[in-house]
Amino acid sequence: MRWSWQKSEKALVDTIALTPSTGMVLDPYPEAEAEVGESAEESSESFLSGIFQAGPLAVGGLIANALNVVATVVVARLLTTNQYGGIAQLLGLFFVLSMPGSALLVSVVRRITAMTTVGLGAEAQAWEARLYRKAAFGVAIWSVFSVAVEAPVSHALRLPDDGGVAFTMIAAGFWLLLCLDRAVLQSHRRYASLGLSLMVEIGVRTVLVLTFAELGWGIWGYALGLLIGEVAAAAQAHLSSRRAWDYAVMAALPADQSSASLTLSIDLAAALAGFAFLGVLQNADIILVGRLHHSNAGSYAAISVASKALVFGAILLGSYILPEASIRWHRGGHALRQLGVTLVFFLIPTVLLLLVALAVPKQFLTLFFGARLAGGAPAFATLVGGMACLGATVVLTNYLLGAARRWVIAFLGVGMVVLLVLIHDADGGIMGTARAELVVQGSMALAVVVAFLIVHLRAHHVRGTSTPV
């Protein structure tokens, strides 16, 4: 009992103080742990301890989301409707281009956890360092390419050819470096450090974009603030990840040897496809509305930004469920309790935002974005419902990728194609686009839930038939 209380106490203190936390607390009395055996294992896997463990990341995500809201509201009032719509397009471009980084994060987390659980921590560190050097060289090449294609991409998106698109593309390159270091933090379950990384990224970006907007730098200034924010976050995360290797406390868990032998290329290809599909599912609407009916871009951007805060939260929570699922499936278990914790953190803001969108949509949009951007109020609740479904898809996809169930990406690919067709048919209409989102994202969420249930039913059957009677 004393050991269990000290575990919870340390996690609670780490959560409140946002100090670095290993996520897996070492028992100060190893002999006592050996005596309690299975009961200690059950205690460490409890739902409450999961709340404590994910707490630092949730707090960091909450603060980051709050800063995002502040930036969104103030920028919406400082810029014109067309400028705000252009910024939404740039953010959509950034999130689509950032998917390779997110995919690499999944692959690196799985690889490091697989190597560390079989005692190859030093080899994993050396491998990650080599990969980081190669990625840094690739980002340098990408930056040159981004400047070269600035003009044609800006023309295709009907945006000013003033460097904003190039800044956004380069920022996506630095996001890849940021993902590599965050993968290290996730693999060692240092969720407090991960939460701090989120606050640094969004905090620097918020201060800069508001300053540049006040100076009248418009879309160009926003893109510059985005770029500097990603560079600062990448530098801070790199320092934190180096320290994480010094504090690595992965327990010697029974490991699935076949998982440790998976090549990076296989995991990367699967994750890249999955997150590319998710990126399009998340951002295709705002990009196409801006292109098909540019006058609707500002109003749609307001309900889009508010609704997609849910998806942003789901992505953050995926940073918790991915390593938890990977570690536990490596040792032949599951991460259902950890998934329950994740869904609790996701459902609370989802329900609150949906109630607001149903009860006072116009008042909410007017308060935060101004009356000129409140034209999408009738479609607000519809889009919130669609993004809630997408958020659930993001969480479950992270879980299934952590469990090495790569075939889930096939559902995402089909959903992406259908969504693009339906949004194009909506011809830039706000309500038509929101309805397309709800139909497709709802269907996607249902398909992924069914896939999740099939995975666990099969796993349960295999474990049951393999257990001696």
Side-chain angles (χ1 to χ4, degrees):
M1 289 179 64
R2 178 177 61 175
W3 175 75
S4 299
W5 166 248
Q6 287 178 338
K7 268 186 80 170
S8 299
E9 180 185 37
K10 183 183 185 302
L12 179 60
V13 171
D14 285 346
T15 300
I16 296 172
L18 282 176
T19 55
S21 170
T22 62
M24 181 180 289
V25 183
L26 291 178
D27 182 9
Y29 304 100
E31 295 82 8
E33 182 180 5
E35 291 173 3
V36 295
E38 192 66 29
S39 62
E41 174 75 9
E42 291 174 1
S43 174
S44 68
E45 300 274 343
S46 71
F47 184 84
L48 182 60
S49 66
I51 293 288
F52 286 144
Q53 190 178 63
L57 180 58
V59 171
L62 179 63
I63 295 174
N65 237 338
L67 291 174
N68 254 335
V69 171
V70 170
T72 299
V73 171
V74 177
V75 168
R77 294 180 179 275
L78 291 175
L79 302 182
T80 66
T81 301
N82 286 338
Q83 285 178 326
Y84 189 70
I87 286 174
Q89 287 179 274
L90 285 184
L91 284 176
L93 176 65
F94 172 78
F95 283 121
V96 170
L97 293 177
S98 69
M99 288 305 109
S102 301
L104 185 62
L105 183 148
V106 173
S107 307
V108 172
V109 168
R110 281 187 45 75
R111 188 64 173 268
I112 292 177
T113 55
M115 296 176 72
T116 310
T117 52
V118 293
L120 300 176
E123 291 83 351
Q125 183 178 7
W127 171 81
E128 187 272 335
R130 291 193 301 271
L131 182 61
Y132 188 91
R133 289 193 294 269
K134 293 177 182 179
F137 178 75
V139 170
I141 300 298
W142 172 256
S143 299
V144 175
F145 173 78
S146 299
V147 174
V149 301
E150 156 78 21
V153 175
S154 298
H155 177 73
L157 295 177
R158 297 183 181 179
L159 292 172
D161 179 12
D162 57 4
V165 168
F167 288 158
T168 303
M169 294 176 67
I170 296 171
F174 277 93
W175 168 262
L176 185 142
L177 297 180
L178 179 59
C179 284
L180 271 176
D181 287 313
R182 285 180 175 172
V184 174
L185 297 177
Q186 289 183 40
S187 300
H188 297 307
R189 305 166 83 184
R190 294 179 64 79
Y191 300 122
S193 296
L194 188 59
L196 178 61
S197 173
L198 296 170
M199 290 189 289
V200 169
E201 178 190 8
I202 304 302
V204 173
R205 183 196 303 179
T206 298
V207 171
L208 291 178
V209 299
L210 293 182
T211 301
F212 296 157
E214 182 65 29
L215 292 174
W217 292 3
I219 298 175
W220 180 86
Y222 191 96
L224 179 61
L226 174 65
L227 172 58
I228 297 175
E230 293 306 311
V231 172
Q236 186 274 334
H238 191 62
L239 294 175
S240 296
S241 70
R242 297 313 94 185
R243 290 194 296 267
W245 285 110
D246 298 332
Y247 290 93
V249 291
M250 281 288 186
L253 303 174
D256 179 357
Q257 297 293 336
S258 62
S259 296
S261 65
L262 289 175
T263 63
L264 178 66
S265 58
I266 296 175
D267 272 341
L268 179 58
L272 177 59
F275 281 98
F277 295 155
L278 284 174
V280 175
L281 287 166
Q282 180 183 356
N283 298 290
D285 56 345
I286 187 61
I287 294 176
L288 289 178
V289 167
R291 180 169 178 79
L292 297 172
H293 202 311
H294 195 68
S295 61
N296 283 341
S299 296
Y300 189 85
I303 63 172
S304 176
V305 168
S307 302
K308 288 173 184 177
L310 299 177
V311 183
F312 177 71
I315 292 172
L316 295 182
L317 292 170
S319 301
Y320 169 69
I321 195 59
L322 171 65
E324 296 298 322
S326 180
I327 290 168
R328 283 164 173 77
W329 280 80
H330 269 302
R331 61 177 177 178
H334 59 72
L336 292 180
R337 289 190 181 91
Q338 290 71 26
L339 179 61
V341 169
T342 304
L343 292 177
V344 166
F345 279 123
F346 175 68
L347 286 175
I348 293 174
T350 297
V351 171
L352 292 177
L353 184 59
L354 186 58
L355 290 175
V356 169
L358 288 170
V360 286
K362 189 173 183 62
Q363 295 88 331
F364 176 85
L365 294 172
T366 301
L367 175 64
F368 285 98
F369 300 95
R372 61 190 174 89
L373 293 177
F380 189 23
T382 303
L383 191 59
V384 169
M387 292 304 103
C389 293
L390 178 58
T393 299
V394 168
V395 170
L396 291 176
T397 297
N398 273 281
Y399 184 98
L400 292 172
L401 287 176
R405 279 11 184 220
R406 305 178 193 89
W407 45 262
V408 68
I409 64 174
F411 296 104
L412 307 182
V414 173
M416 180 194 71
V417 173
V418 175
L419 180 65
L420 290 174
V421 172
L422 293 183
I423 291 179
H424 189 272
D425 289 344
D427 198 28
I430 293 178
M431 180 57 80
T433 302
R435 286 173 177 166
E437 286 282 356
L438 180 59
V439 169
V440 175
Q441 306 293 4
S443 301
M444 284 294 309
L446 179 60
V448 175
V449 166
V450 171
F452 168 81
L453 293 175
I454 290 174
V455 165
H456 277 276
L457 288 173
R458 287 180 175 175
H460 178 73
H461 175 71
V462 169
R463 293 179 188 125
T465 56
S466 63
T467 303
V469 179

